[in-house]
Amino acid sequence: MPSRKLQLEEGNIYHIFNRGFDRQTIFFEYRDYKRFIENMKKYKEEFDGIHIYAWCLLPNHFHLLLKSDKLGLEISSFMRKLQQSYAMYFKTKYKAISPDLKLLNFPQLFE
């Protein structure tokens, strides 16, 4: 999964912007948004060092404001699980015959 090469560090707040490959729609209906939020809450419990300060979900992309009390790898692991679980849901629900849903990461340090 392509991403910018930004060294994630513990204690910093990051703005994570993700969009569907080629700006494809990733949320078609209310249930899709709900599923993503449910997954976000589920993985937040698994990664107890993750703090979610804000999120914004739009039809073809989303924004998260995250902080980790642990090493930067925790944010990467959290995002990987969140995106993989949503991609599996998306492919199953929409019987995607095209290439996998691809979400591109664009982390930025929030100052």
Side-chain angles (χ1 to χ4, degrees):
M1 172 180 355
S3 65
R4 291 186 183 171
K5 300 297 181 196
L6 176 67
Q7 183 67 35
L8 301 177
E9 298 175 4
E10 63 185 271
N12 289 334
I13 298 173
Y14 294 95
H15 169 221
I16 310 288
F17 167 83
N18 295 41
R19 64 174 170 81
F21 179 73
D22 203 23
R23 292 175 167 54
Q24 78 182 83
T25 299
I26 58 174
F27 302 109
F28 286 98
E29 59 187 35
Y30 171 79
R31 178 70 187 122
D32 300 337
Y33 292 97
K34 186 175 178 186
R35 178 62 172 258
F36 188 88
I37 292 168
E38 289 169 354
N39 286 348
M40 193 167 47
K41 290 177 182 178
K42 173 185 171 183
Y43 293 117
K44 197 241 176 262
E45 289 178 14
E46 184 176 325
F47 295 93
D48 62 344
I50 292 284
H51 302 278
I52 303 170
Y53 291 107
W55 71 84
C56 179
L57 309 180
L58 297 139
N60 71 342
H61 69 284
F62 61 89
H63 300 262
L64 301 176
L65 204 54
L66 302 176
K67 175 183 170 186
S68 176
D69 291 335
K70 299 181 181 175
L71 292 177
L73 286 176
E74 185 159 82
I75 289 177
S76 297
S77 298
F78 170 80
M79 291 304 300
R80 182 173 36 260
K81 284 202 168 192
L82 178 61
Q83 292 175 161
Q84 285 175 344
S85 65
Y86 187 74
M88 288 174 50
Y89 159 82
F90 185 93
K91 278 193 70 164
T92 301
K93 180 174 182 179
Y94 295 105
K95 299 180 181 22
I97 56 174
S98 59
D100 290 340
L101 172 69
K102 293 183 178 153
L103 297 172
L104 307 173
N105 291 321
F106 299 99
Q108 297 175 333
L109 182 59
F110 184 77
E111 300 181 274

